[in-house]
Amino acid sequence: MALFQPTKFENPYTIHKFEDDFYEKYNLKKVQFLGEGMAGKVYLVKPKSGRGRWQAVKEFSHYPTEVRERNMRHFAMETTVMQVVSHPHLVPCHLAASGHDYSAIAMPYYPQGDLVLSGRQEPNRVHRLMSKVARAVEHLHKWNIAHNDIKLENVFVDGSDDAHLGDMGFALRVKDPLGFSPAWRVGGTKDYWSPEKLAADPHYKIDPFKCDVYAVGIMYWVLVTGIMDFTAGTDFVAKLVKTQDLNISHLQRSVLETLLEPNPLARPTAFEMVHILSLNESFR
């Protein structure tokens, strides 16, 4: 895939400094622990004054020392992408700051949480949510950025039931004019790896953009089937053929077969994925 020529990525972005405590400096109060990722913890916060928006704050720990470099690299990448690349279905950055013990990003709070849901989901809703995610992915790709860690845990749902793609710490800037990257740089969570990533020698070049598309297909699969017990290397198309009793339309079955195409050359681009998911049909 030939790369776009977007607005210059190295636009200035802002990282503030704090001495001791991020929450004291910005007059925020922790309300609830929301979860913990590889880099650190996430909290729901509100202004101490009681007035103003509630937000989620993601911390990037500087300790232990052996993870500091990795966490700071993820913090810098996530901050850059969130501040420079704007889209209605990408999680934005309200504030980024760094202190002695940790760095932090304040972002919107999405009351419905992530897309790790129990059981089969209503097919129409799944299709709509994945359409929004596809638009976010397409926009990232226009900036020559692969998200590189698309999964249910990284898609958040707001009060209007709209999807927002977040967690940009693994985002990959692709500079190769043909849009390829060494396989060792591609892919975050192994269960969402594409067949070509799984099979590739670490230094063999693969298309990270097509890997993103495959990961969207896995999310679609999990949500419409309710089948969570999958691992890297699962032949989703074969499972789809064997599972004929799914209450999904022919269009949705076709979408799954297309996004989960094992051959990356035959798999759609993000632009094509948006078109495929935008097709109107009464799914019932």
Side-chain angles (χ1 to χ4, degrees):
M1 147 178 171
L3 298 187
F4 293 90
Q5 296 300 321
T7 303
K8 193 174 182 182
F9 184 77
E10 293 84 2
N11 285 352
Y13 60 93
T14 303
I15 296 179
H16 300 276
K17 299 291 183 182
F18 60 90
E19 291 298 325
D20 297 313
D21 186 73
F22 174 86
Y23 305 93
E24 284 295 327
K25 178 175 177 64
Y26 296 105
N27 296 310
L28 298 171
K29 178 181 179 180
K30 293 179 181 177
V31 176
Q32 181 182 343
F33 171 70
L34 295 177
E36 186 168 5
M38 182 176 65
K41 298 176 180 179
V42 182
Y43 294 96
L44 173 63
V45 304
K46 67 177 183 179
K48 288 183 177 180
S49 67
R51 298 185 300 274
R53 60 189 173 191
W54 290 38
Q55 302 176 88
V57 171
K58 181 177 181 179
E59 296 181 359
F60 296 75
S61 176
H62 295 178
Y63 297 99
T65 306
E66 56 266 25
V67 304
R68 177 185 172 94
E69 182 179 348
R70 180 201 67 194
N71 286 354
M72 289 304 294
R73 184 171 62 249
H74 287 189
F75 169 71
M77 176 57 75
E78 188 155 5
T79 299
T80 304
V81 174
M82 293 174 78
Q83 292 189 4
V84 173
V85 185
S86 177
H87 187 271
H89 299 292
L90 288 173
V91 176
C93 170
H94 291 161
L95 172 69
S98 188
H100 182 268
D101 294 332
Y102 64 94
S103 299
I105 299 177
M107 62 193 78
Y109 168 59
Y110 297 104
Q112 293 196 56
D114 61 30
L115 278 181
V116 181
L117 306 172
S118 176
R120 292 174 58 180
Q121 303 302 305
E122 200 280 314
N124 293 340
R125 180 174 185 249
V126 173
H127 193 88
R128 178 173 51 77
L129 291 172
M130 291 300 98
S131 295
K132 303 297 176 61
V133 172
R135 291 185 177 94
V137 173
E138 180 198 20
H139 191 68
L140 280 175
H141 290 188
K142 287 180 178 179
W143 281 79
N144 303 338
I145 299 170
H147 183 282
N148 212 29
D149 195 26
I150 292 175
K151 57 183 178 180
L152 295 168
E153 292 90 335
N154 289 343
V155 179
F156 307 94
V157 184
D158 65 20
S160 299
D161 209 38
D162 272 337
H164 304 266
L165 181 62
D167 277 346
M168 309 293 181
F170 278 99
L172 176 63
R173 289 188 60 206
V174 181
K175 298 181 180 180
D176 183 288
L178 296 179
F180 290 92
S181 181
W184 67 267
R185 297 190 65 205
V186 178
T189 303
K190 188 172 182 179
D191 286 348
Y192 288 80
W193 283 5
S194 65
E196 65 272 21
K197 160 63 180 176
L198 194 63
D201 177 274
H203 297 285
Y204 185 81
K205 288 191 173 184
I206 61 176
D207 185 338
F209 303 109
K210 293 293 187 77
C211 294
D212 273 357
V213 171
Y214 192 85
V216 174
I218 293 179
M219 291 197 302
Y220 199 128
W221 162 267
V222 172
L223 293 172
V224 296
T225 66
I227 300 173
M228 294 290 295
D229 58 340
F230 67 94
T231 58
T234 296
D235 189 339
F236 292 100
V237 174
K239 290 173 73 75
L240 187 64
V241 171
K242 294 177 183 177
T243 313
Q244 294 295 331
D245 60 343
L246 293 177
N247 183 28
I248 60 175
S249 70
H250 291 299
L251 172 62
Q252 288 180 303
R253 187 176 289 273
S254 175
V255 167
L256 284 170
E257 292 173 346
T258 302
L259 300 186
L260 294 170
E261 165 59 52
N263 180 1
L265 296 177
R267 196 180 307 144
T269 64
F271 173 81
E272 292 166 337
M273 174 172 64
V274 168
H275 176 70
I276 291 166
L277 288 169
S278 68
L279 294 174
N280 293 317
E281 181 185 275
S282 176
F283 298 147
R284 292 190 179 279

